[in-house]
Amino acid sequence: MEKTITDIANELGVSVSTVSKVINNRTGVGPELRKRICDYIEEVNYRPNAIAQSMIKGRTNIVGLVFGDVRNPFYADLLYYIQYELRQHGYMVMAFNSDYEAEKEVEFINQAIQSRYAGLMLITAKGDSMLRAISDIRAAKIPLVLVNRTLKDFNGSFVSVDNFQAGYMAAKHLIELGHRRLAFITGNMESSAGYHRFLGYKQALENYDIEFEESQVYSGDLKFDTGIRIAEQYVQALDLNPTGIVICNDLMAMGFIDYSKKHGVKIPEQLSVISFDNITYADLYGMELTTVDQHLQRMCECAVKTLLQQIENPGNTEILRTMIEPTLVVRGTTARPTRESPLPEE
Amino acid sequence: MEKTITDIANELGVSVSTVSKVINNRTGVGPELRKRICDYIEEVNYRPNAIAQSMIKGRTNIVGLVFGDVRNPFYADLLYYIQYELRQHGYMVMAFNSDYEAEKEVEFINQAIQSRYAGLMLITAKGDSMLRAISDIRAAKIPLVLVNRTLKDFNGSFVSVDNFQAGYMAAKHLIELGHRRLAFITGNMESSAGYHRFLGYKQALENYDIEFEESQVYSGDLKFDTGIRIAEQYVQALDLNPTGIVICNDLMAMGFIDYSKKHGVKIPEQLSVISFDNITYADLYGMELTTVDQHLQRMCECAVKTLLQQIENPGNTEILRTMIEPTLVVRGTTARPTRESPLPEE
């Protein structure tokens, strides 16, 4: 049977509050008694019950991290970096993989609120149910940072790459290589990251006076298999299709390129491909993606700093918003067009 | 200010234990009063404090999952499948990425014990500090399953692929293609998965009367970058090296192949490579790994079943041990040897 704090107090003949003060390293207990209690706790191998401790402190040392797809190396790296940074400051990360489902995210957030987490980081925020969950987080006074997301009507802190610039940069790269007809595979259009990339792409086309074709926008969801599925359609009418394609993340681009190359499409000779993230596998033999780097490690460091500032200054309501500049990384999947793609029919 | 269960009781003029019974769906409260309390709870948007609830029930609905490297797609997939299965049964997964560091794992396990998790799954178990942590888990009566691991002196349940057979199968494939000198890149030799693969490899060499060369065992750690680093050494003396290499997981093999192909090594013409896992990217254009499939999804389903049996039958101390048969998947990285590797000097 595990001992409780009451057992310890009874066995030592002191009050529960005295033992509690020692466990929580508070003042009000003389050095001699403190030592006696510490020694006894060690002797009986007393393990303070975290649940009881949380009730005393009102907070755990746990930071919750919600992301959409652990099978996307971008999010796996993100979890890795954030955990690494938070650990330096004594916090543990509980990771929750939501499969991009708002309902599951709200359930996790409720759990985090009820368990008095020290803080929350959301990398999935979208939609109205999330806005309600965020207002619950606020009401419970749990520090919160959105990572690589912004949210309409959200008046808190976030850290993100400038996704509009990233989208602009990708389209501009293809246009300056000489491509005149472009296609786009979206991420999740309800997420600001995906939507802003799309807006940046459109803006570049407009600025360079290139026609934006609604029919050349493919609806994606950031997954590898979706890249394969869209490539299947795309490759069938390759000669009629645009010569350059912007794909909303590296993982979908890898699926797209995997299918295309296995079916004899020459990349970049027949088709230029550019995407976003610069994950580890972007540089893999056979892939060698041209991509827009989001500086994930820097983004994570900054997100942790932003969260810690809230955790450590509970009264501070300052809102910190950081936009990181993306960088173009040119590798093997983009080049000057070698075929002319026919202009769209009027 | 958030309401407590005491506030609710006072405001309704009933006892705390009555409100508690309703919240926890226990008997002893008449239907009319029950409805009045439920309605009021909804009206004031009362959120039962999970910490307090855990103290009442003595258990949360959280299953903790400890794995070594979220950046390895094998573990990312594992987290995905286990979470998917557990969710069907109303459990949430808290994932903890330990970086293969025993100290961090023990800290997480302590946290899980203190927070009264419903169960634990360990995919990292190794060494003495883990054995002590496991005995703490047992003492706290928290259901436990080891996944893709066994542990010396561990007398509990586990689910694993038969790693000895997997190692045997990999070596046998190369030998039957005609390779006579083989090399091996280890995983973590303290983990049963890595050690048993190595033993299986050695046994195949012995059974086929092929010399085992200690000097052709490279020490690895399952990471992509390590595959690159070992390839750097290997490629320098390619003509003197064995013609076939067994690499302890796909991710290291991807690093190894990435470096080798980028430096002009023809795989499989100059060198055959076989690894373990059959991750999503094993079939990627440019990789097309021959590998030993561990049937990860089936392993995860089985692990969840094994854990749930313990959770749902607290008295049941039956030990379940499942070994899944691995399967060879032949793709593009293995072929008959086209060069003769010189026999090792006496």
Side-chain angles (χ1 to χ4, degrees), chain B residues 303-319:
Chain B
V304 167
K305 228 168 123 180
T306 305
L307 188 77
L308 287 176
Q309 219 207 18
Q310 289 182 56
I311 293 178
E312 285 160 11
N313 307 292
N316 188 344
T317 56
E318 192 186 354
I319 291 169

Side-chain angles (χ1 to χ4, degrees), chain A residues 37-64:
Chain A
I37 295 173
C38 284
D39 288 352
Y40 188 71
I41 283 173
E42 210 178 300
E43 185 190 324
V44 301
N45 193 21
Y46 169 68
R47 187 192 300 281
N49 181 331
I51 300 172
Q53 277 207 314
S54 310
M55 290 197 89
I56 296 164
K57 288 194 291 183
R59 281 284 180 273
T60 62
N61 72 333
I62 299 169
V63 171

Side-chain angles (χ1 to χ4, degrees), chain B residues 21 51 196 216 274 313:
Chain B
K21 278 176 191 159
I51 299 172
H196 290 166
Q216 292 303 331
I274 182 168
N313 307 292

Side-chain angles (χ1 to χ4, degrees), chain A residues 68-86:
Chain A
D69 180 10
V70 69
R71 298 195 289 180
N72 180 343
F74 180 77
Y75 293 111
D77 284 354
L78 187 144
L79 167 58
Y80 175 83
Y81 289 130
I82 285 186
Q83 187 174 275
Y84 178 83
E85 288 296 320
L86 276 172

Side-chain angles (χ1 to χ4, degrees), chain B residues 11-272:
Chain B
E11 283 155 23
L12 285 169
V14 301
S15 75
V16 170
S17 84
T18 303
V19 178
S20 165
K21 278 176 191 159
V22 171
I23 289 168
N24 293 288
N25 210 14
R26 288 202 306 272
T27 55
V29 185
E32 213 165 309
L33 180 54
R34 188 177 292 270
K35 186 174 181 317
R36 214 180 107 216
I37 294 173
C38 284
D39 288 352
Y40 188 70
I41 283 173
E42 210 178 301
E43 186 190 323
V44 300
N45 193 20
Y46 169 67
R47 187 191 300 279
N49 181 330
I51 299 172
Q53 277 208 316
S54 310
M55 290 196 89
I56 296 164
K57 287 194 291 185
R59 281 283 180 276
T60 62
N61 72 333
I62 299 170
V63 171
L65 182 73
V66 185
F67 53 95
D69 181 9
V70 69
R71 298 194 289 181
N72 180 343
F74 180 77
Y75 292 111
D77 284 356
L78 187 143
L79 167 58
Y80 175 84
Y81 289 130
I82 285 187
Q83 187 174 276
Y84 178 83
E85 288 296 321
L86 276 171
R87 203 184 150 77
Q88 314 298 315
H89 296 88
Y91 291 92
M92 290 186 83
V93 172
M94 291 292 170
F96 185 70
N97 177 53
S98 78
D99 247 331
Y100 299 110
E101 287 181 29
E103 188 202 334
K104 291 187 194 172
E105 290 169 11
V106 171
E107 186 184 332
F108 176 82
I109 288 170
N110 281 332
Q111 183 79 46
I113 292 174
Q114 292 171 26
S115 300
R116 306 290 190 262
Y117 278 18
L120 276 168
M121 290 190 172
L122 305 180
I123 304 108
T124 49
K126 64 174 199 217
D128 285 348
S129 62
M130 183 51 76
L131 269 179
R132 277 194 302 279
I134 285 176
S135 99
D136 288 349
I137 296 170
R138 290 302 185 77
K141 296 203 186 335
I142 295 186
L144 168 68
V145 175
L146 299 193
V147 186
N148 208 22
R149 288 290 177 283
T150 61
L151 199 58
K152 209 168 159 301
D153 300 326
F154 170 71
N155 65 341
S157 296
F158 67 73
V159 179
S160 177
V161 77
D162 187 333
N163 282 298
F164 181 91
Q165 289 301 339
Y168 192 92
M169 199 173 260
K172 183 179 163 189
H173 174 64
L174 293 179
I175 294 166
E176 295 203 330
L177 281 170
H179 296 271
R180 289 295 167 266
R181 280 194 67 209
L182 301 182
F184 190 89
I185 304 181
T186 75
N188 188 323
M189 287 294 245
E190 283 182 82
S191 116
S192 67
Y195 186 59
H196 290 166
R197 283 175 202 167
F198 177 65
L199 291 183
Y201 165 82
K202 272 181 86 168
Q203 189 65 50
L205 267 59
E206 195 179 318
N207 290 5
Y208 280 87
D209 197 23
I210 288 182
E211 189 182 1
F212 167 73
E213 298 174 62
E214 194 69 52
S215 66
Q216 292 303 331
V217 177
Y218 296 79
S219 176
D221 61 2
L222 306 178
K223 293 182 178 173
F224 183 82
D225 289 345
T226 305
I228 291 179
R229 185 177 51 74
I230 295 174
E232 257 178 283
Q233 305 164 32
Y234 201 92
V235 165
Q236 279 180 8
L238 189 65
D239 292 340
L240 304 174
N241 282 334
T243 57
I245 187 162
V246 177
I247 302 183
C248 225
N249 74 338
D250 286 349
L251 192 60
M252 249 190 332
M254 282 169 66
F256 187 95
I257 291 170
D258 183 57
Y259 181 92
S260 302
K261 286 196 170 180
K262 283 178 180 166
H263 289 79
V265 177
K266 288 193 170 58
I267 294 174
E269 295 82 354
Q270 293 177 277
L271 176 65
S272 280

Side-chain angles (χ1 to χ4, degrees), chain A residues 56-337:
Chain A
I56 296 164
K57 288 194 291 183
R59 281 284 180 273
T60 62
N61 72 333
I62 299 169
V63 171
L65 182 72
V66 185
F67 53 92
D69 180 10
V70 69
R71 298 195 289 180
N72 180 343
F74 180 77
Y75 293 111
D77 284 354
L78 187 144
L79 167 58
Y80 175 83
Y81 289 130
I82 285 186
Q83 187 174 275
Y84 178 83
E85 288 296 320
L86 276 172
R87 203 183 150 77
Q88 315 297 316
H89 297 87
Y91 292 91
M92 290 186 82
V93 173
M94 291 292 170
F96 185 71
N97 177 54
S98 77
D99 246 331
Y100 299 110
E101 286 181 29
E103 188 202 333
K104 291 187 195 172
E105 291 169 11
V106 170
E107 185 183 333
F108 176 82
I109 289 169
N110 282 332
Q111 182 80 45
I113 293 173
Q114 292 172 27
S115 300
R116 307 289 189 262
Y117 278 18
L120 275 168
M121 290 191 172
L122 306 180
I123 303 108
T124 49
K126 64 173 200 219
D128 286 348
S129 62
M130 183 50 77
L131 269 179
R132 277 195 301 279
I134 285 176
S135 98
D136 288 350
I137 296 170
R138 290 302 185 77
K141 297 204 184 335
I142 295 186
L144 168 68
V145 175
L146 300 193
V147 186
N148 209 22
R149 288 290 177 282
T150 61
L151 200 58
K152 211 167 157 300
D153 300 326
F154 170 70
N155 65 342
S157 296
F158 66 74
V159 178
S160 177
V161 79
D162 188 333
N163 283 298
F164 181 92
Q165 289 301 339
Y168 192 92
M169 201 172 258
K172 184 180 162 187
H173 173 65
L174 293 179
I175 294 165
E176 295 203 331
L177 282 169
H179 296 271
R180 288 295 167 267
R181 280 194 68 208
L182 301 182
F184 189 89
I185 304 181
T186 74
N188 189 324
M189 288 294 245
E190 283 182 82
S191 116
S192 66
Y195 186 60
H196 290 166
R197 283 174 202 167
F198 177 65
L199 291 184
Y201 165 83
K202 272 181 87 169
Q203 190 65 49
L205 266 60
E206 195 179 317
N207 290 6
Y208 281 86
D209 198 24
I210 288 182
E211 190 182 1
F212 167 73
E213 297 172 65
E214 194 68 53
S215 66
Q216 292 302 330
V217 177
Y218 296 79
S219 176
D221 60 4
L222 306 179
K223 293 182 180 174
F224 183 82
D225 289 346
T226 305
I228 291 179
R229 185 177 51 72
I230 294 173
E232 257 178 282
Q233 305 164 33
Y234 200 92
V235 165
Q236 278 180 8
L238 189 66
D239 292 340
L240 304 173
N241 282 334
T243 57
I245 186 162
V246 177
I247 302 183
C248 227
N249 74 339
D250 285 349
L251 192 60
M252 250 191 330
M254 282 168 67
F256 188 96
I257 291 170
D258 183 57
Y259 182 92
S260 301
K261 286 196 169 180
K262 283 179 180 165
H263 290 79
V265 178
K266 287 193 171 56
I267 294 174
E269 295 81 353
Q270 291 177 278
L271 176 65
S272 280
V273 179
I274 181 168
S275 53
F276 305 88
D277 286 351
N278 199 23
I279 58 176
T280 307
Y281 311 122
D283 191 31
L284 210 57
Y285 177 86
M287 289 291 136
E288 283 131 336
L289 285 174
T290 295
T291 185
V292 180
D293 193 327
Q294 308 206 54
H295 303 291
L296 180 61
Q297 187 167 3
R298 210 194 312 156
M299 198 192 316
C300 292
E301 287 165 3
C302 183
V304 166
K305 226 168 123 181
T306 305
L307 189 77
L308 287 176
Q309 219 208 16
Q310 287 181 58
I311 293 178
E312 286 161 10
N313 307 292
N316 187 344
T317 56
E318 192 186 353
I319 292 168
L320 293 176
R321 300 188 157 184
T322 311
M323 282 274 205
I324 291 167
E325 283 300 305
T327 307
L328 180 69
V329 178
V330 180
R331 295 200 186 92
T333 55
T334 50
R336 298 190 65 78

